[in-house]
Coordinates of all heavy atoms in Angstrom, one line a residue:
T544 N 233.3 135.5 70.4 CA 233.7 134.5 71.3 C 233.5 135.1 72.7 O 233.3 136.3 73.0 CB 235.2 134.1 71.1 OG1 235.9 135.3 71.0 CG2 235.4 133.4 69.7
I545 N 233.9 134.2 73.7 CA 233.8 134.6 75.2 C 235.1 134.7 75.8 O 236.0 133.9 75.5 CB 233.0 133.4 75.9 CG1 231.6 133.4 75.2 CG2 232.9 133.9 77.4 CD1 230.8 134.6 75.3
S546 N 235.2 135.8 76.5 CA 236.6 136.0 77.3 C 236.2 136.4 78.7 O 235.0 136.5 79.0 CB 237.3 137.3 76.7 OG 238.5 137.3 77.5
R547 N 237.2 136.3 79.6 CA 237.0 136.6 81.0 C 237.8 137.8 81.4 O 239.0 137.8 81.2 CB 237.2 135.4 81.9 CG 236.1 134.2 81.7 CD 236.3 133.3 82.8 NE 235.2 132.2 82.8 CZ 235.0 131.3 83.7 NH1 235.7 131.3 84.8 NH2 234.0 130.5 83.5
T548 N 237.0 138.7 82.1 CA 237.7 139.9 82.6 C 237.4 140.0 84.0 O 236.5 139.6 84.6 CB 237.2 141.2 81.9 OG1 235.8 141.2 82.1 CG2 237.5 141.1 80.5
F549 N 238.4 140.6 84.8 CA 238.2 140.9 86.2 C 237.4 142.0 86.5 O 237.6 143.1 86.0 CB 239.6 141.0 86.9 CG 239.6 141.0 88.3 CD1 239.5 139.8 89.1 CD2 239.7 142.3 89.1 CE1 239.5 139.9 90.5 CE2 239.5 142.2 90.4 CZ 239.6 141.0 91.1
D550 N 236.3 141.8 87.3 CA 235.5 142.9 87.9 C 235.8 143.3 89.2 O 235.8 142.5 90.2 CB 234.0 142.4 87.8 CG 233.0 143.5 88.0 OD1 233.3 144.6 88.5 OD2 231.8 143.3 87.5
D551 N 236.1 144.6 89.4 CA 236.6 145.1 90.7 C 235.5 145.1 91.7 O 235.6 145.0 93.0 CB 237.2 146.5 90.6 CG 238.6 146.5 89.8 OD1 239.3 145.4 89.8 OD2 238.8 147.5 89.1
N552 N 234.2 145.3 91.2 CA 233.2 145.3 92.1 C 232.9 144.0 92.8 O 232.5 144.1 94.1 CB 231.9 145.8 91.4 CG 232.0 147.3 90.7 OD1 232.7 148.2 91.4 ND2 231.4 147.5 89.6
I553 N 233.0 143.1 92.1 CA 232.7 141.6 92.7 C 233.9 141.0 93.0 O 233.9 139.8 93.6 CB 231.8 140.9 91.8 CG1 232.4 140.5 90.5 CG2 230.4 141.5 91.6 CD1 231.8 139.6 89.6
Q554 N 235.1 141.5 92.7 CA 236.4 140.9 92.9 C 236.4 139.6 92.4 O 236.8 138.5 93.0 CB 236.7 141.0 94.4 CG 236.9 142.2 95.0 CD 238.3 142.8 94.5 OE1 239.4 142.3 94.4 NE2 238.2 144.1 93.9
G555 N 236.0 139.4 91.1 CA 236.0 138.1 90.5 C 235.9 138.3 89.0 O 235.9 139.4 88.4
F556 N 236.0 137.2 88.2 CA 236.1 137.2 86.9 C 234.6 137.1 86.3 O 233.8 136.2 86.7 CB 236.9 136.1 86.3 CG 238.4 136.3 86.5 CD1 239.0 135.8 87.6 CD2 239.1 137.0 85.5 CE1 240.4 136.1 87.9 CE2 240.5 137.3 85.9 CZ 241.0 136.8 87.0
V557 N 234.3 137.9 85.3 CA 233.0 137.8 84.6 C 233.1 137.5 83.1 O 234.1 137.8 82.5 CB 232.1 139.0 84.8 CG1 231.8 139.2 86.3 CG2 232.9 140.2 84.2
P558 N 232.2 136.7 82.4 CA 232.3 136.5 81.0 C 232.1 137.9 80.2 O 231.5 138.7 80.6 CB 231.3 135.6 80.7 CG 230.3 135.7 81.7 CD 231.1 136.1 83.0
D559 N 232.9 138.1 79.2 CA 232.8 139.2 78.3 C 232.9 138.7 76.9 O 233.6 137.9 76.4 CB 234.0 140.1 78.5 CG 234.0 141.4 77.7 OD1 232.8 141.7 77.4 OD2 235.0 142.0 77.5
T560 N 232.0 139.3 76.0 CA 231.7 139.0 74.6 C 232.7 139.8 73.8 O 232.7 140.9 73.9 CB 230.3 139.1 74.2 OG1 229.3 138.5 75.0 CG2 230.1 138.7 72.7
I561 N 233.5 139.1 72.9 CA 234.5 139.7 72.0 C 233.9 139.5 70.7 O 233.8 138.3 70.2 CB 235.8 139.2 72.3 CG1 236.3 139.4 73.7 CG2 236.8 139.8 71.2 CD1 237.6 138.8 74.0
S562 N 233.6 140.5 69.9 CA 233.1 140.5 68.5 C 234.3 140.2 67.6 O 235.4 140.9 67.8 CB 232.4 141.7 68.1 OG 231.3 142.0 69.0
G563 N 234.1 139.5 66.5 CA 235.2 139.3 65.5 C 235.1 137.8 65.1 O 234.5 136.9 65.8
F564 N 235.6 137.6 63.8 CA 235.6 136.4 63.3 C 236.5 135.4 63.9 O 237.8 135.8 64.3 CB 235.9 136.4 61.8 CG 236.0 135.1 61.1 CD1 234.8 134.4 60.8 CD2 237.2 134.4 60.9 CE1 234.8 133.2 60.1 CE2 237.2 133.2 60.3 CZ 236.0 132.6 59.9
D565 N 236.2 134.1 64.3 CA 237.0 133.1 64.9 C 236.6 131.8 64.4 O 235.4 131.5 63.9 CB 236.8 133.1 66.4 CG 237.8 132.2 67.1 OD1 238.8 132.7 67.4 OD2 237.5 131.0 67.3
R566 N 237.5 130.9 64.2 CA 237.3 129.5 63.7 C 238.1 128.5 64.5 O 239.1 128.7 65.1 CB 237.9 129.4 62.2 CG 239.2 129.8 62.0 CD 239.7 129.5 60.6 NE 239.8 128.1 60.4 CZ 240.7 127.3 60.5 NH1 241.8 127.7 61.2 NH2 240.7 126.0 60.3
N567 N 237.6 127.3 64.6 CA 238.3 126.1 65.1 C 237.9 124.9 64.3 O 236.9 124.9 63.6 CB 237.8 126.1 66.6 CG 236.3 125.7 66.8 OD1 235.8 124.6 66.4 ND2 235.6 126.7 67.2
N568 N 238.8 123.9 64.5 CA 238.5 122.8 63.6 C 239.0 121.5 64.4 O 239.7 121.6 65.4 CB 239.3 122.9 62.3 CG 240.7 122.9 62.5 OD1 241.3 123.8 63.0 ND2 241.4 121.7 62.1
D569 N 238.6 120.4 63.9 CA 239.0 119.0 64.4 C 238.9 118.0 63.3 O 238.1 118.3 62.3 CB 238.3 118.6 65.6 CG 236.9 118.3 65.3 OD1 236.5 117.2 65.0 OD2 236.0 119.3 65.5
W570 N 239.6 117.0 63.4 CA 239.5 115.9 62.5 C 239.6 114.5 63.2 O 240.1 114.4 64.3 CB 240.5 116.0 61.3 CG 241.9 116.0 61.7 CD1 242.7 117.2 61.9 CD2 242.8 114.9 62.0 NE1 244.0 117.0 62.3 CE2 244.0 115.5 62.3 CE3 242.6 113.6 61.9 CZ2 245.2 114.6 62.8 CZ3 243.7 112.8 62.3 CH2 245.0 113.3 62.7
N571 N 239.1 113.5 62.5 CA 239.1 112.2 63.1 C 239.4 111.2 61.9 O 238.8 111.2 60.8 CB 237.8 111.8 63.7 CG 237.7 110.5 64.3 OD1 238.4 110.2 65.3 ND2 236.8 109.7 63.7
L572 N 240.2 110.1 62.4 CA 240.5 109.1 61.3 C 240.1 107.8 62.0 O 240.4 107.4 63.2 CB 242.1 109.0 61.1 CG 242.6 107.9 60.1 CD1 241.9 108.0 58.8 CD2 244.0 107.9 60.1
S573 N 239.4 106.9 61.2 CA 238.9 105.7 61.8 C 238.9 104.7 60.6 O 238.8 104.9 59.5 CB 237.5 105.8 62.3 OG 236.6 106.1 61.2
V574 N 238.9 103.3 61.2 CA 238.8 102.2 60.3 C 238.2 101.1 61.0 O 238.3 100.9 62.3 CB 240.2 101.7 59.8 CG1 241.1 101.3 60.9 CG2 240.1 100.7 58.9
S575 N 237.3 100.4 60.3 CA 236.5 99.3 61.0 C 236.6 98.1 60.1 O 236.7 98.1 58.8 CB 235.1 99.7 61.1 OG 234.4 99.9 59.9
A576 N 236.4 97.0 60.6 CA 236.4 95.6 60.1 C 235.3 94.9 60.6 O 235.1 94.7 61.8 CB 237.8 94.9 60.2

Side-chain angles (χ1 to χ4, degrees):
T544 55
I545 301 297
S546 178
R547 288 196 176 186
T548 58
F549 187 79
D550 191 339
D551 294 330
N552 296 326
I553 64 172
Q554 290 296 306
F556 291 92
V557 295
D559 184 23
T560 302
I561 300 176
S562 300
F564 178 79
D565 187 90
R566 57 172 292 274
N567 64 74
N568 68 291
D569 66 89
W570 55 265
N571 177 68
L572 178 64
S573 66
V574 60
S575 65

